[in-house]
Amino acid sequence: MSCQEITILLNDYLDGVLSPTQKQEVEAHLKECSTCQELLSNLQQVRVTLREFPQISVPPSLAEKLYQIPAKKKAKWPTWLGWLARPLPQQITATLAALSLAISFYTLLPNRAMLAKYLNQQLHLGYHHISSLWTQAESITVNIEKVSDSLKAPWQALKEEGKED
Amino acid sequence: MIVNTYAPQIFNLAFHFTHSREEAEDVTQEIFLKLFSSLKKYKKEMNFTAWLLTLARNHLIDKYRREKKEKSLRQELDERVLTESGLLSPENGHDQKEVKLIVWKALDQLSTEVRLSIVLFDLMGKTYEETAEILDVPVGTIKSRINRGRLQLARLLADQQPQKRRI
């Protein structure tokens, strides 16, 4: 067995779960190879060290904060406002808030006329863009119809030829 | 009840993952906040400990997804952190202390998934099956990650103790 093959088996060797044949092979290799011997010794040290790291206790200040979390979550909304925290009213409230914000922004704006003009321009540009797209789509439809008409006659001829055969 | 039973596990997982007490305290609070808001998703037939530790694992991975952030956080680890946390007890001999420090620092060099596997299995004493359930991978994957991780730590230990090799 090569060093690489032995390396993979070292943890199982230390756990004592190798088959007798594998165990013999590992031990035979270890007698000959100082590199693998050293790796085994370090692996043993690592395994013991990892198990020796003790569990650390939760600091009392942290425990206190954790105890308060459920209470804090409940107290987030006063009881009489609790319905606002439910999903649907939340969405409606958010939409109304966004709308009122947009309306107040528009009505309170000093140069409202300019904004109206700009919005009007943008609307017209959009409308113009849509209508040009519509015209293009119509011309494509007409072209498709033309092509399909031009194919109809040869198709009929081919069908009739087929019947005669 | 939930806090008393599970806070030590979450805090230890966070501490061994972040290697910073302050960060572990913050992360534990965040995980418990998440826990209380996701309790509705928990189903009775699930193993609660595994479910909670999976939630913790997802939170840790999401939070430290950026390797840079993870590294900068964990650079602050030193002997002080270990001593203050009681991981280096005064009765430890010099060599033992040195090995503990090397292994502790070497844990940082493992990939996130390998480190989490080692922390859960070797440091927190979970079984292969429990670790696999928490990390949501097959038992075979966990065994191979732990094998790989321990070997990597053994090699890093050898690199840090060249004088012993010569003796």
Side-chain angles (χ1 to χ4, degrees):
Chain A
M1 270 193 180
S2 66
C3 288
Q4 206 181 345
E5 287 167 315
I6 293 294
T7 303
I8 297 166
L9 298 175
L10 287 181
N11 266 304
D12 284 346
Y13 174 71
L14 289 173
D15 285 333
V17 294
L18 288 182
S19 69
T21 325
Q22 280 179 316
K23 195 182 164 200
Q24 272 177 3
E25 280 180 294
V26 170
E27 282 170 352
H29 181 94
L30 286 171
K31 272 182 193 164
E32 305 287 318
C33 178
S34 61
T35 315
C36 287
Q37 269 176 38
E38 194 203 336
L39 185 63
L40 179 74
S41 149
N42 281 319
L43 188 61
Q44 227 159 353
Q45 264 190 303
V46 162
R47 287 162 58 111
V48 171
T49 309
L50 287 173
R51 293 277 176 188
E52 273 179 358
F53 282 126
Q55 297 294 293
I56 52 170
S57 49
V58 176
S61 57
L62 173 64
E64 197 47 51
K65 283 176 194 163
L66 297 178
Y67 290 135
Q68 284 168 10
I69 292 175
K72 263 187 199 168
K73 281 193 94 69
K74 274 182 199 160
K76 226 173 184 178
W77 291 88
T79 330
W80 62 278
L81 276 176
W83 62 276
L84 271 174
R86 285 179 211 132
L88 188 63
Q90 252 185 358
Q91 286 160 10
I92 295 171
T93 320
T95 315
L96 288 174
L99 268 173
S100 63
L101 191 72
I103 291 166
S104 54
F105 174 74
Y106 181 73
T107 45
L108 297 172
L109 202 70
N111 44 1
R112 206 167 54 197
M114 266 181 73
L115 181 68
K117 197 179 166 188
Y118 174 76
L119 288 174
N120 205 17
Q121 269 179 354
Q122 290 301 316
L123 271 171
H124 273 88
L125 277 171
Y127 178 75
H128 177 71
H129 190 62
I130 290 167
S131 64
S132 71
L133 281 173
W134 185 256
T135 318
Q136 279 177 23
E138 273 185 336
S139 72
I140 289 169
T141 316
V142 170
N143 282 334
I144 290 169
E145 277 171 3
K146 276 182 189 170
V147 171
S148 106
D149 285 345
S150 67
L151 287 171
K152 264 180 193 167
W155 174 245
Q156 281 297 332
L158 276 169
K159 263 170 90 177
E160 276 164 22
E161 268 179 37
K163 275 180 192 171
E164 280 168 18
D165 290 341
Chain B
M1 166 74 181
I2 288 183
V3 172
N4 287 344
T5 316
Y6 299 102
Q9 294 198 54
I10 301 296
F11 182 60
N12 273 279
L13 176 67
F15 177 68
H16 289 303
F17 189 84
T18 60
H19 280 184
S20 151
R21 264 190 99 91
E22 293 76 21
E23 195 58 29
E25 288 190 23
D26 290 348
V27 167
T28 306
Q29 281 190 71
E30 288 161 13
I31 291 169
F32 269 85
L33 271 168
K34 231 177 203 179
L35 163 72
F36 286 115
S37 53
S38 355
L39 270 175
K40 280 180 195 165
K41 290 178 194 165
Y42 170 72
K43 288 170 193 153
K44 275 182 185 170
E45 61 270 19
M46 292 170 167
N47 169 352
F48 186 78
T49 311
W51 178 77
L52 173 59
L53 286 170
T54 306
L55 189 130
R57 168 250 187 194
N58 290 341
H59 182 80
L60 284 167
I61 290 182
D62 284 348
K63 195 171 167 82
Y64 300 105
R65 197 172 285 277
R66 286 181 198 168
E67 195 62 19
K68 271 183 196 169
K69 191 178 179 189
E70 205 179 312
K71 282 212 168 118
S72 71
L73 260 173
R74 285 187 279 124
Q75 267 166 6
E76 63 186 63
L77 70 98
D78 54 14
E79 196 170 338
R80 184 183 55 84
V81 177
L82 279 174
T83 314
E84 281 175 5
S85 311
L87 297 186
L88 277 186
S89 53
E91 60 264 28
N92 281 160
H94 179 73
D95 279 1
Q96 222 178 332
K97 220 172 181 177
E98 195 193 332
V99 171
K100 267 194 173 179
L101 257 173
I102 294 171
V103 172
W104 174 257
K105 285 183 181 177
L107 274 167
D108 275 343
Q109 296 186 37
L110 304 181
S111 70
T112 306
E113 294 295 352
V114 171
R115 193 163 74 248
L116 272 173
S117 308
I118 296 263
V119 167
L120 287 164
F121 184 82
D122 280 324
L123 276 75
M124 295 177 68
K126 301 280 170 205
T127 62
Y128 281 124
E129 288 73 21
E130 287 168 338
T131 310
E133 193 181 357
I134 294 162
L135 299 181
D136 197 22
V137 288
V139 174
T141 309
I142 289 300
K143 282 185 178 170
S144 109
R145 277 183 194 169
I146 290 168
N147 198 14
R148 215 169 53 236
R150 284 170 173 174
L151 283 168
Q152 206 177 329
L153 291 175
R155 289 195 183 100
L156 289 164
L157 182 63
D159 292 344
Q160 298 287 314
Q161 292 185 304
Q163 73 279 9
K164 281 199 171 178
R165 233 185 303 178
R166 278 180 230 120
I167 294 164

